[in-house]
Amino acid sequence: MSKQNKNEKIQQFESESYVDPQHQILTTSLGVAVKDNQNSLRADSRGPTLLEDFFLRDKLIHFDRERIPERVVHARGVGAHGYFEAYPGNEKWTKAHFLTNSERKTPIFARISTVQGGRGSADVVRDVRGFSIKFYTQEGNYDLVGNNIPVFFIQDAIKFPDFVHAVKPEDHNEIPTGQSAHDTFWDFVSLNTEAAHMTTWVMSDRAIPRNLRSIQGFGVHTFRLINAKNEAFLVKFHWTPKQGVAQVVWDEALKLNGKDPDFHRRDLWDAIERGNYPEWELGAQIFTEEQAAEWDFDVLDPTKLVPEELVPVTPLGKFILNRNPDEFFAETEQVAFSPANIVPGIDFSNDPLLQGRLFSYTDTHLHRLGTPNFNQIPINKPVCPFHTNRRGGFANQHIHKGKANYEPNSVDSNYPREATEDQQAFTSYPERIEGSKLRIRAESFADHFSQATLHYRSLSTHEQQHIKDAYAFELSKVQAEEIRQRVVSELLSPIDQDLAQYVANELGLNVEKAKVKSPNSEIIISKKLSIDAFPAPDIAQRKIAVLVHNGANATTVNAIKKWAEQNNAIAEVLAPSAAPVKSSDDQEIAVNGRQNGEPSVTYDATVVVDGHNFDKFKSDGVAKHYVLETYKHLKPIVLIGDKSQIIEILNIKQDESVFITDDFLSIQNEFKQAIQQHRNWDREEAAKEIPA
Ligand code: HDE
């Protein structure tokens, strides 16, 4: 058969396939149609199963191998598709096509993850969130593999395995999952004070985000942008959520992890399904080597950030996540990111942490995905043409045509051949390097505390209080007193005396005077380090629980639902059972869920629409607890009814986000503002009186 005939024949078979998408028939993995998927082949109805049963074998053999090694860190994650659009004018900084062609929507796939826990761990743990984006550009895949925190724990890649061992569940009993509140983590960070700055971030509200739509992203390391004239600029990448940044309170986080361990994953999925597509602006702090040389920190040190007061963020474009994956394993689990995946116009720096990462990711993919052909998996495959001389390997998908698998060659007219000068190819920035070969840490990396202090002092009072409480909570879980003491005296004391004193008091320890003094005494405040600098612009996708009983006013319930819909928010009606309730005028009010099944921690505000005088509500423990918990977690509350004594019954203090009214529409604007603000931080003292 000629080659052409053979191809035609193959196409004919494909088109003859009976697998039409509407009426698919179950088959074996080789396409043999299956008649009975309920019973294995056996000798007589009660006899042994026959080895001959190729369908059973095909099914079990595949099933037995369904799991692949989970990621050694960032095992739990959620992914989504979307696109990136560049703003005009970036050619000043870079020649990267996807950053300079503002006409093209570059497809992206993002994966957001926790670090410490395994694949099945809970979402709302105190942890860093990984935030990776794969840009399928016309010049190859570019991966931005960052975190929601702008700095890192360590300065050199050689320490990464030690750090990860220490933060992961302890070696002897694999406890605790998804948390840093244990001896080995605090032992490590107190013995490696380069972690001081990052630890203040992990103890801050950044590590307990409300949802994954409301986190910032950072490239952490310094990278390079290179323009068409081969001029190079140093950059720090930032991506900022249009939704604003939002956190949970600690008690809420603890409860969420039990009541809905998939809270973040579900929220992202639901938002995308509803068409409330999360959006981020990608920007960069762009500076020169000369500028960097003037600063009192080293931009190659990943435990340091560049305060925006020194270099503001230049917006480069925006990206939107607008499509959920079709299959979790095929896409979110098999996606393979690497900081080494770059395109012309972007380059690395000598950050010693980044340099190690350039090796580690490909190495881990070889183990996790089991073949050097992992880039042929659909989610990892470039969308631009690619022509390599790589051949063979496990699970190779390509059937190459032609003879040449080497370059240069004369058998296939020397194709694929090297790019010429006028074809944009990747070239490394020709940085001049001289010096001796040494295992050494640069002197310019020696200050471990100035920016920890800068971070702490730049936060609002409530954020600082949360950091103090987080250190106290975590250290109270540490068994070894010497580790607790070391953290207080050698990690916290040099950062801030008041912080160290508070934590020491909570743990019954003494604060020794800091042995190390922060060398930078003129600490400035850097405003963008506080979550308060990123308020939500609206109440889109915020969820309101509407608690009802029989006798509730149907007109009010409908008005709230309509109002929420107009504001792109979600109002869900919750009752003692899932059955519809009878309104005061004998109508049926449809119910979205049971109060017991849809806890307050999964909503952003609570409204009570009860019968006259809150009669039913007053005697319903579940409903009362619902409102008290909403109050404790500082979220807005609306009580619709005519009895002001309800405040006394609940034993709460009325404040600017607790509304009692007969007429919902009369407080709609204030309520909207309160939901947008999300938490009433001024309520924190009063909320302490409410039992957890
Ligand atoms: Fe990673 N990191 N990392 N990391 N990292 C991995 O790669 C590593 C670091 C980050 O959604 C692993 O595919 C080393 C910094 C994210 O699939 C592994 C060092 C930052 C993800 C690895 C670091 C990150 C990973 C595990 C120090 C923020 C999830 C599985 C030198 C800028 C990617 C994998 C995804 C994953 C190594 C430090 C972010 C083992 C050696 C700093 C977001 O290769």
Side-chain angles (χ1 to χ4, degrees), residues 71-74 111-113 130-132 145-147 152 154 156-157 160 218-221 335-337 352-354 356-357 360-361 364-365 368:
R71 289 167 174 83
V72 60
V73 279
H74 297 268
R111 184 174 180 275
I112 309 180
S113 48
F131 198 154
S132 312
V145 194
N147 281 340
F152 201 65
I154 48 169
D156 189 315
F160 191 65
F218 302 92
V220 176
H221 314 281
V335 67
F337 293 98
L353 197 69
L354 173 61
R357 292 181 75 203
S360 182
Y361 288 68
T364 213
H365 302 330
R368 199 167 66 81

Side-chain angles (χ1 to χ4, degrees), residues 487-507:
V487 172
V488 170
S489 2
E490 291 179 36
L491 209 59
L492 302 186
S493 200
I495 298 173
D496 185 275
Q497 273 304 306
D498 177 49
L499 166 66
Q501 189 64 61
Y502 181 92
V503 178
N505 290 349
E506 288 295 309
L507 299 169

Side-chain angles (χ1 to χ4, degrees), residues 222-224 339-342 346-350 354-355 358 426:
T222 297
F223 291 90
R224 278 198 174 84
N341 294 347
I342 50 168
I346 304 180
D347 207 348
F348 314 118
S349 72
N350 294 337
L354 173 61
Q355 293 281 319
L358 300 181
F426 182 84

Side-chain angles (χ1 to χ4, degrees), residues 60 92 130 165 169 242-243 258 402 421 504 549 602 617:
L60 291 182
K92 273 190 296 251
H165 287 171
K242 199 180 135 201
Q243 299 71 236
E421 279 300 315
H549 285 100
T602 61
F617 174 78

Side-chain angles (χ1 to χ4, degrees), residues 348-389:
F348 314 118
S349 72
N350 294 337
D351 174 336
L353 197 69
L354 173 61
Q355 293 281 319
R357 292 181 75 203
L358 300 181
F359 161 76
S360 182
Y361 288 68
T362 318
D363 189 44
T364 213
H365 302 330
L366 290 173
H367 168 62
R368 199 167 66 81
L369 300 166
T371 164
N373 293 318
F374 62 83
N375 280 333
Q376 297 178 19
I377 297 172
I379 194 70
N380 297 322
K381 212 161 128 178
V383 297
C384 63
F386 55 96
H387 314 278
T388 74
N389 285 327

